[in-house]
Amino acid sequence: DAKTTQPPSMDCAEGRAANLPCNHSTISGNEYVYWYRQIHSQGPQYIIHGLKNNETNEMASLIITEDRKSSTLILPHATLRDTAVYYCIVSPTGTASKLTFGTGTRLQVTL
Amino acid sequence: GAVVSQHPSRVICKSGTSVKIECRSLDFQATTMFWYRQFPKQSLMLMATSNEGSKATYEQGVEKDKFLINHASLTLSTLTVTSAHPEDSSFYICSTYAAYNEQFFGPGTRLTVL
């Protein structure tokens, strides 16, 4: 079973920030929070990950609460190309670590 | 970023035939590769973990004799769906870690069994 809970869908106007929440109340101390997205009929794309500090890269920002039980992915200026299913996953690091995908959040960016 | 390719991108076959799907890491070595399956409007489900030079590890409920996995080199893993049936029609996706914390996914192979 997936260890995260996400809203099934969200809408966002183009140019606005998209804030996607994720609950992971049973996260273990050695588990990171990963975000991936899947555009229709493509393989998932890595976005960002973090352990306990906030992280930012060219795609997004990741805000993790101090107790690590929830996080928010922020797309600062959403575009139509950001329309996708976004998956929040918790997993230990390591090249043999399996990722368990939940149902994700379907983000629809509109004009 | 790192690139993972899959071939073919889509395949249509008759029921009872076998289909081989290739997954390649194009610019790095992949000791471990993962195979996922995704049915329409559902999430990705991990099928098996492919380990170079050793037997694959299958998830519970996945028939190892039906989904044959071979990982003979550090850049190639293959998934063979044997005696395919219409219920095996799905989107098959492979992935691997290029860097320690980033798992890269292939573009997927859409299998349709008639």
Side-chain angles (χ1 to χ4, degrees):
Chain A
D1 292 335
K3 297 167 65 175
T4 62
T5 304
Q6 298 177 251
S9 64
M10 293 182 65
D11 292 332
C12 178
E14 188 176 35
R16 306 297 292 267
N19 297 284
L20 291 87
C22 179
N23 287 323
H24 32 79
S25 59
T26 61
I27 190 170
S28 300
N30 68 336
E31 290 182 317
Y32 282 66
V33 179
Y34 291 85
W35 282 84
Y36 285 79
R37 72 180 182 184
Q38 185 179 26
I39 296 171
H40 183 61
S41 296
Q42 298 182 22
Q45 176 189 21
Y46 166 84
I47 301 174
I48 199 167
H49 75 279
L51 182 62
K52 55 182 179 180
N53 296 322
N54 297 338
E55 302 288 344
T56 296
N57 62 20
E58 65 277 5
M59 289 183 67
S61 295
L62 173 60
I63 308 299
I64 303 174
T65 58
E66 191 169 346
D67 62 7
R68 300 207 327 123
K69 293 185 177 182
S70 66
S71 61
T72 301
L73 177 74
I74 301 173
L75 307 179
H77 304 287
T79 70
L80 297 177
R81 288 179 294 182
D82 292 322
T83 293
V85 178
Y86 287 76
Y87 296 99
C88 168
I89 302 168
V90 295
S91 177
T93 59
T95 55
S97 294
K98 300 185 288 187
L99 298 181
T100 300
F101 285 78
T103 53
T105 296
R106 182 172 298 278
L107 176 67
Q108 180 69 52
V109 181
T110 57
L111 290 172
Chain B
V3 178
V4 177
S5 71
Q6 284 185 240
H7 177 79
S9 58
R10 58 178 62 229
V11 56
I12 301 172
C13 69
K14 293 181 179 180
S15 184
T17 61
S18 294
V19 174
K20 180 184 287 187
I21 302 170
E22 294 184 347
C23 176
R24 293 183 184 273
S25 56
L26 297 185
D27 51 4
F28 59 96
Q29 295 181 334
T31 304
T32 302
M33 287 184 171
F34 303 93
W35 286 96
Y36 295 82
R37 179 168 56 181
Q38 185 175 33
F39 293 107
K41 299 188 184 302
Q42 295 186 22
S43 188
L44 282 78
M45 294 294 295
L46 180 65
M47 298 176 65
T49 302
S50 169
N51 302 296
E52 188 269 336
S54 65
K55 292 183 178 180
T57 304
Y58 291 82
E59 296 298 304
Q60 188 174 8
V62 178
E63 300 175 57
K64 62 180 181 180
D65 294 330
K66 180 170 182 62
F67 299 99
L68 302 180
I69 291 173
N70 184 282
H71 194 157
S73 78
L74 288 172
T75 59
L76 174 64
S77 175
T78 60
L79 168 68
T80 300
V81 183
T82 62
S83 186
H85 291 285
E87 58 265 31
D88 298 322
S89 298
S90 189
F91 193 49
Y92 292 87
I93 308 168
C94 68
S95 71
T96 188
Y97 283 93
Y100 192 66
N101 287 326
E102 298 180 28
Q103 191 170 135
F104 289 91
F105 288 80
T109 296
R110 187 162 302 282
L111 170 64
T112 302
V113 184
L114 302 177

